[in-house]
Amino acid sequence: MEFTGGHILSIGQFDRGDISRIFDVADELRPYAQRKRITRVLQGAILANMFFEPSTRTRVSFAAAFNLLGGEVRETSEIRASSLTKGESLYDTARVLSGYSDVIVMRHPEAGSVAEFAQASRVPVLNGGDGPNEHPSQALLDLYTIRSELQAQNKLVNGMKIALVGDLKYGRAVHSLCKLIALYDNIRFNLISPPGLELPDEVHKQLTARGHRVEKYHALGAGINNVDIVYVTRTQEERFPSQEEADRYKGLFRLNQSVYTQNCEPNTVIMHPLPRDSRANAQELDDDLIENPNLAIFRQTDNGLVVRMALFALVLNVVDAVHDHSQPVTWYTAKRTPHR
Ligand code: NCD
């Protein structure tokens, strides 16, 4: 794809060359994320960070990524605090906001809303999650993490085996990740969900159409046997017709250290897009895994910063200028070795 001035809306717009490009830029920007150097390459640029659904990681890391490149951030973090509650259309909101900013990140509860918004925007729009549909930047940081975790074990993305666990129906992170991994070769997908929360047919078909092996499971044990990655997800309770219905699915699959030891290979990597639901009735990813060196959840969140920096640098076309605007850091900085 042409990154300069482009929107980042869906995994469907990428090919493998685009993904390599994003990851190469992310690698190059790592010293800035680690506070070894600072850059002012986006000095004067403004990000409108528009979150009309709850978010911690995506919202703060997009904002921090923009700041790390020297730009400023204006933010709305509640639909109630915006004029969308006064009946303003996405079209008008996009026309207005694109007059105030150089790039917009948007999260919204409706599938397709961010693409509709982007059509009216005069500046690049990055999808921070549109309802149950897609979450492309999450998938990119997940694959970036998968690649580095597998590299450490002398393995490749091509030929890997991944188990996706939990609410595969409403989980947009899973939808985007499946579509992204499907671009690679010879993948084994174990889809583990309760009956009723299976991966949507449309996504499932994209996997089989590319010749990958896809197996469905309705229980945790066998599906997490002999895989390289276990990717656990939360029941997306906010997408269910009622809380009672969501509650029926919570706590059905719980990955903890003893389930891991019983079923997984000793080096199986454990991932989760977060937030994990730590309430007593859920706990899909138990706190007792915290000492497990294969738990990659905080490496994922760290990687979110460099991947999002790379997206901004690419769509605003400053990749080659980043180092020209760079200086050493002068303040005390904590060591940022990878989370173990
Ligand atoms: C995910 C999301 O919002 O889709 N969270 C995130 O962005 N890291 C997953 C989730 O909320 O369960």
Side-chain angles (χ1 to χ4, degrees):
M1 69 169 281
E2 172 58 48
F3 282 105
T4 304
H7 303 302
I8 306 285
L9 300 173
S10 162
I11 295 302
Q13 66 193 87
F14 299 129
D15 61 26
R16 270 166 67 170
D18 299 327
I19 296 158
S20 302
R21 175 84 178 119
I22 295 167
F23 290 177
D24 288 347
V25 175
D27 288 342
E28 207 178 313
L29 296 176
R30 194 162 279 283
Y32 302 98
Q34 292 176 335
R35 315 298 198 275
K36 292 196 173 125
R37 297 191 67 77
I38 55 171
T39 177
R40 295 264 139 246
V41 71
L42 287 185
Q43 185 161 29
I46 296 176
L47 162 68
N49 208 25
M50 310 308 291
F51 278 71
F52 302 123
E53 258 196 342
S55 173
T56 303
R57 272 147 291 275
T58 308
R59 181 169 57 85
V60 177
S61 69
F62 263 123
F66 206 73
N67 289 151
L68 285 165
L69 292 169
E72 306 258 351
V73 182
R74 291 288 163 269
E75 185 160 283
T76 284
S77 58
E78 274 201 275
I79 202 156
R80 273 176 297 156
S82 82
S83 282
L84 289 172
T85 49
K86 298 183 190 170
E88 186 166 54
S89 65
L90 287 169
Y91 176 90
D92 284 4
T93 310
R95 290 295 296 268
V96 171
L97 289 174
S98 53
Y100 299 158
S101 54
D102 299 278
V103 57
I104 299 171
V105 173
M106 184 170 170
R107 168 173 287 190
H108 190 281
E110 274 166 46
S113 54
V114 182
E116 183 187 333
F117 179 92
Q119 278 187 348
S121 171
R122 288 172 293 178
V123 301
V125 175
L126 280 57
N127 182 359
D130 61 323
N133 184 36
E134 279 224 38
H135 194 349
S137 66
Q138 179 70 42
L140 289 165
L141 77 88
D142 286 338
L143 180 60
Y144 184 81
T145 307
I146 289 171
R147 191 187 66 150
S148 96
E149 298 288 318
L150 293 183
Q151 246 165 27
Q153 299 182 17
N154 293 317
K155 295 183 196 163
L156 297 171
V157 173
N158 289 328
M160 75 163 177
K161 293 173 253 168
I162 181 167
L164 296 135
V165 183
D167 181 353
L168 308 186
K169 178 177 180 186
Y170 295 116
R172 58 188 170 201
V174 165
H175 303 163
S176 287
L177 183 59
C178 283
K179 293 178 192 180
L180 186 60
I181 296 174
L183 296 175
Y184 292 77
D185 304 325
N186 189 26
I187 309 291
R188 163 82 184 220
F189 290 91
N190 287 356
L191 305 177
I192 310 173
S193 69
L197 295 188
E198 286 95 351
L199 194 69
D201 279 348
E202 170 252 330
V203 186
H204 193 284
K205 281 194 192 121
Q206 287 191 32
L207 310 183
T208 48
R210 285 182 174 268
H212 302 299
R213 283 195 301 156
V214 185
E215 204 75 59
K216 282 190 189 178
Y217 297 85
H218 287 141
L220 194 55
I224 58 172
N225 230 285
N226 191 26
V227 292
D228 304 299
I229 311 282
V230 179
Y231 189 95
V232 182
T233 64
R234 173 182 74 87
T235 305
Q236 308 283 295
E237 59 186 353
E238 63 276 36
R239 315 249 177 258
F240 282 76
S242 71
Q243 186 65 44
E244 296 73 61
E245 197 172 330
D247 285 343
R248 281 213 299 274
Y249 291 103
K250 286 194 186 181
L252 294 180
F253 303 148
R254 295 181 176 197
L255 185 63
N256 58 28
Q257 186 58 49
S258 88
V259 173
Y260 180 90
T261 309
Q262 267 171 39
N263 295 282
C264 294
E265 297 292 314
N267 58 359
T268 296
V269 178
I270 307 160
M271 297 177 64
H272 191 304
L274 302 183
R276 52 177 156 170
D277 189 340
S278 296
R279 289 169 290 192
N281 66 341
Q283 294 181 341
E284 71 274 359
L285 189 63
D286 201 290
D287 288 343
D288 76 352
L289 287 157
I290 201 70
E291 298 297 332
N292 188 321
N294 300 300
L295 184 73
I297 54 177
F298 301 119
R299 298 194 283 278
Q300 283 173 268
T301 53
D302 274 0
N303 287 335
L305 209 50
V306 281
V307 168
R308 291 178 171 127
M309 288 170 80
L311 293 176
F312 287 133
L314 283 160
V315 299
L316 297 175
N317 194 23
V318 292
V319 173
D320 295 333
V322 168
H323 304 302
D324 300 342
H325 294 75
S326 123
Q327 303 165 33
V329 163
T330 51
W331 64 88
Y332 164 78
T333 54
K335 273 212 175 61
R336 283 184 167 77
T337 47
H339 285 286
R340 280 259 79 98

